[in-house]
Amino acid sequence: MAIREFLSSRVEDCKRLVELLGEKFAYVSVLGCDVTTKNVLVNRRTSRVETDTDSDKGFVVKLSNGRAFFEYSADDVRGDVNALAQKILSEAVAADCLNDSMIHSRPVADEPLVKDFVRENDFANYTNAQLLECCTAIKDDILSKSENVVNAAVMLRLLDVNKLFVSKNRTLTQAYTWVNGIMVANYREGEKMVGVREGECSNLLGEVMKELPKKADRLVKKAQKLVAAKPVTPGVYDVITDPSVTGLLAHEAFGHGVEMDMFVKDRALAKSYMGKYVASPICNMRDGAASTLSVASYFFDDDGVLAHDTQIIKDGILVSGISDLVSASELGTEPTGNGRRQDHARKAYSRMTNTFFERGTDKLEDMIASIKHGYMIFETNNGMEDPKNWAIQCVAEYGIEIVDGKLTENYVSPVVMSGYVPDVLKSISMISDDFIVEGAGFCGKGHKEWVRVSDGGPALKLRVKLG
Amino acid sequence: MKNIQLLKSVLSKHSGECEHSIVANDTTSYELFFVHGKLETVRKAKHSSAQISVFVKHDGKLGSGSFVADESATEQELESKIAEALGNAKMIFDEPYELPCDDNQSGGVIPSNLGGRDEKQVAADIAKAVLSACTQKDCGINALEVFVTTRVNTVLNSKGVDKSQTKHTVSVEVIPTCNAESESVELFETYEFGNLDEQAIIREIAARVEDVSMRAKAVKPQEKIDCPVILNPYDIREMFEELVSDAQYSSVYLHTNLHSVGDKWQSEPAHDKLTITMRGIVDGSPASALFDKDGTSLCDKTIVKDGELVANFGASRFAQYLGKEATGALGCIDVEVGNTSISELQSTPHLECVYLSGLQVDLYNDYIGGEIRLAYYFDGEKRIPVTGIAMSGKLSEVLNNVTLSKEKVVSGSYSGPEKIKLGKMNIF
């Protein structure tokens, strides 16, 4: 068992808790979380090294008896397990007036499996001093490139995940890591200020420390361009999305729309479009913790369901959604390993993991050459879904005007892309043969429940409203 | 937090080599999740943790290191984490600053009518209020989440600060839905309250149900609309949160602020002038606090007066760097109301935004805009529900053309005019 002592020492407590609560409930599981973090941040005038300031350590018990689901989150399960079981039974209950208004749910599958999953990492090879030195050197390099850089910030964010899942028939553990390197510059020319960023991510710290410094030059050159950027003239244009914005489109257009807890609530139009064309026939889209190696590549989800690689759109046809245990139970489907929690104190929902469009066959230069007047747009800022009514808004950091098949020096910023999802996806006419998935994102469910996600894909050519 | 005494004891062994602070949070939450009016999940959560920071003076500079300790941490684990944090602190070369001293303000309970009430019954009462508010034909509440939360926040440091504050809040996420013949449409509504008023909840949800029924009838305008835009409290809050972040001491110290004291946010105000005060406590606001994470008691500060930035605000560290008075990290934005009634604001042609995909406010790029999912267009005679359009404008021009309602509202961290009319917006 490769998990740390906090969880490994509590396996028997979890099993005992499952046994005790199993006397009252048909399904009982315990998820243990021991997620440690380290953030090293250096900017022009301050620095810090923080350990575990966004960590997650604790347990959540899940219960089902054919009606509503009940959960109890606690910092520890060690000690008097009998007393804890009694506490759970007395506190994770509804007011009497609600007893008659609970759902009826199907029995939860609990297939036998005992397994430990481990992804090797290199965190132990580097000291805090080396991390600080790396960030400081990059910061100094950025500042040295122009007097107009008023501030530069460089951050390494290390994530080290240990999880334990125990039910009557399953005992699973997993251990894996992820690293995000981020650099940000604030650049001022006269009255105009811009903020720009670059990033690098990997499961290996050494990889990020090697690749991140190479992006400092690009960061400052981008700032020099964006400080002169103008707003885009609102209108409908031929647009090419870079892999980051492609990923945002996948995420907002059909990622949220196929989270199947939204099907249960009748909040997703996609429910009635299964088996129908929703995108151009050249489009293929996937999601899954097992679909690629990135920040959301776990081995089992927070319901103890093994990671999947789910095809969502195949040749333009919507073929599958993604689900957590509760929504699958209510819909009578198999869970797809997409049950995720922000932390042990929060509920699990159907959530995306690594979401992307698959690569196509076109060359990027041919895609640019095919546009008389339009824009290539770059870098995700944020987006907002509307699974019920398929409106979409994606905000990109900047765009470059394309005139007569060539990228110009005309930069626009910010760029807000909006439209009706099927119109946008059916307008996709070319897909590049390259492919990047970026693992630096966070995704909320509505305005809360933040989980780490990746998204990306190739470049797409489409027609859409910019404003 | 149960093991706070252990933390204090272990830290006291290092009193000769460092200063320290402890920020502990104990949170209990009771939660109900409904789907189509049926109870799907019941949750109870209890969580405690503490962030410990150590501060070491060395080489004429100050270094700090932080870590988080949980309830299960043993003395040996704490010793190990402190040793690592001290090592980290000695590698940091920040400008020196002092931790706040005890100011004899001990904290307390943030005023709320939720204190002492049974959390299960409060959650059930809220659910009943929300679900009962939907009486329109073809409309329903597809999903409802209720969170009843109590947070106890304790701050201690080696300079004698030792204070706690208790905050009771309720959060609600509601999805009103209208199943019209042509299509089914929804709105997404979130609320956070520091006080509970069930009748106000019923009125609010009933109004949103009316809105969602209008979304089912909303059409994309055939012709370009050219008129001022009226924002609702949620989007007004988004706008002011972005604006005031520029006025923080930390932004000034790091040179990332766009505006300096004396600069005009409104260079040529055509209508109302903005006056904004950052406050610690606003009655009913879930952002209310008695002190910040340094333990600094919050001190209200007017930062914008008649459209001009007159002061910055923020926590002790950056205030010391700038030689300013520490206001604490004030969380409530209080905007002075105007003299125009909502009915007057609505009496001339306008586009009143009900539901945006998200208001984008970009101070650096001088931009404000967003995609409109439901708005009411008043053409001077009729009020028409519209959708499928977007808006954008130059933030600096828009700020010169604001009209503030005289009716006041509290929405999350924002308190101020219930409606704001913005001129110079391009609708497309």
Side-chain angles (χ1 to χ4, degrees), chain B residues 31-325:
Chain B
E31 305 161 6
L32 298 177
F33 300 79
F34 292 83
V35 177
H36 296 305
K38 294 280 188 186
L39 184 59
E40 183 203 63
T41 301
V42 180
R43 299 193 79 256
K44 171 77 182 184
K46 295 182 179 182
H47 179 54
S48 297
S49 68
Q51 178 168 332
I52 295 94
S53 298
V54 295
F55 304 87
V56 179
K57 286 182 178 168
H58 63 96
D59 305 300
K61 300 288 183 181
L62 184 73
S64 63
S66 299
F67 63 93
V68 165
D70 55 82
E71 290 285 27
S72 67
T74 63
E75 184 170 350
Q76 192 180 2
E77 286 168 343
L78 290 175
E79 282 287 9
S80 168
K81 286 192 166 192
I82 290 169
E84 183 183 355
L86 287 169
N88 291 337
K90 287 167 187 164
M91 296 188 289
I92 303 293
F93 295 82
D94 289 346
E95 289 303 312
Y97 59 96
E98 298 294 331
L99 295 182
C101 294
D102 182 22
D103 59 4
N104 296 315
Q105 303 287 317
S106 59
V109 178
I110 293 163
S112 167
N113 64 5
L114 287 159
R117 294 178 66 171
D118 175 59
E119 58 188 6
K120 292 186 188 72
Q121 200 54 52
V122 168
D125 289 347
I126 292 168
K128 190 177 163 194
V130 171
L131 296 171
S132 71
C134 182
T135 56
Q136 284 223 22
K137 185 174 174 284
D138 299 326
C139 292
I141 304 294
N142 275 20
L144 166 65
E145 299 184 355
V146 181
F147 301 79
V148 181
T149 305
T150 300
R151 292 186 185 89
V152 181
N153 166 235
T154 304
V155 177
L156 304 99
N157 72 19
S158 49
K159 293 287 187 72
V161 169
D162 184 353
K163 52 176 79 171
S164 287
Q165 57 188 341
T166 300
K167 187 191 289 194
H168 301 282
T169 58
V170 164
S171 304
V172 183
E173 184 178 299
V174 191
I175 314 295
T177 305
C178 178
N179 298 307
E181 265 184 34
S182 54
E183 65 172 334
S184 177
V185 294
E186 70 175 29
L187 298 178
F188 176 90
E189 304 293 335
T190 59
Y191 306 96
E192 192 176 7
F193 311 106
N195 281 327
L196 180 59
D197 180 345
E198 283 135 317
Q199 290 308 310
I201 291 175
I202 291 171
R203 284 194 301 274
E204 171 66 19
I205 299 302
R208 299 290 77 78
V209 170
E210 171 68 18
D211 285 336
V212 76
S213 71
M214 288 295 111
R215 191 178 184 191
K217 296 170 185 166
V219 293
K220 184 172 179 171
Q222 294 299 307
E223 295 177 5
K224 182 172 166 53
I225 295 175
D226 186 9
C227 63
V229 168
I230 295 178
L231 294 183
N232 67 21
Y234 182 86
D235 296 307
I236 297 170
R237 180 177 95 200
E238 295 275 299
M239 182 173 82
F240 283 112
E241 282 180 345
E242 177 69 20
L243 290 170
V244 303
S245 67
D246 190 56
Q248 296 196 48
Y249 290 141
S250 56
S251 299
V252 177
Y253 181 70
L254 294 171
H255 298 296
T256 58
N257 60 313
L258 197 62
H259 296 107
S260 301
V261 170
D263 287 353
K264 293 190 184 302
W265 278 16
Q266 295 173 290
S267 53
E268 297 170 355
H271 303 288
D272 285 331
K273 294 178 179 175
L274 290 168
T275 293
I276 302 172
T277 301
M278 298 302 298
R279 298 192 189 280
I281 301 268
V282 165
D283 188 32
S285 171
S288 291
L290 299 167
F291 53 85
D292 67 9
K293 67 184 178 63
D294 296 325
T296 304
S297 296
L298 298 179
C299 181
D300 294 357
K301 190 83 176 176
T302 297
I303 59 165
V304 175
K305 179 76 179 164
D306 294 332
E308 178 182 323
L309 184 67
V310 294
N312 298 110
F313 73 102
S316 169
R317 175 184 180 181
F318 293 100
Q320 289 180 52
Y321 284 164
L322 298 170
K324 303 286 185 185
E325 172 201 12

Side-chain angles (χ1 to χ4, degrees), chain A residues 71 73 75 93 330 384 448, chain B residues 30 40 43 47-48 145:
Chain A
E71 290 192 346
S73 298
D75 290 329
V93 294
E330 290 183 77
M384 196 65 186
K448 57 183 178 59
Chain B
Y30 180 80
E40 183 203 63
R43 299 193 79 256
H47 179 54
S48 297
E145 299 184 355

Side-chain angles (χ1 to χ4, degrees), chain A residues 190-226:
Chain A
E191 292 296 300
K192 182 80 185 281
M193 174 123 70
V194 294
V196 289
R197 62 183 159 83
E198 287 285 342
E200 186 67 38
C201 53
S202 171
N203 61 318
L204 296 174
L205 180 53
E207 190 74 15
V208 172
M209 291 169 70
K210 181 180 157 199
E211 295 300 321
L212 189 63
K214 297 176 185 172
K215 296 186 171 179
D217 203 39
R218 193 160 90 190
L219 180 81
V220 177
K221 283 181 177 164
K222 183 163 62 184
Q224 289 165 339
K225 294 287 187 188
L226 290 188

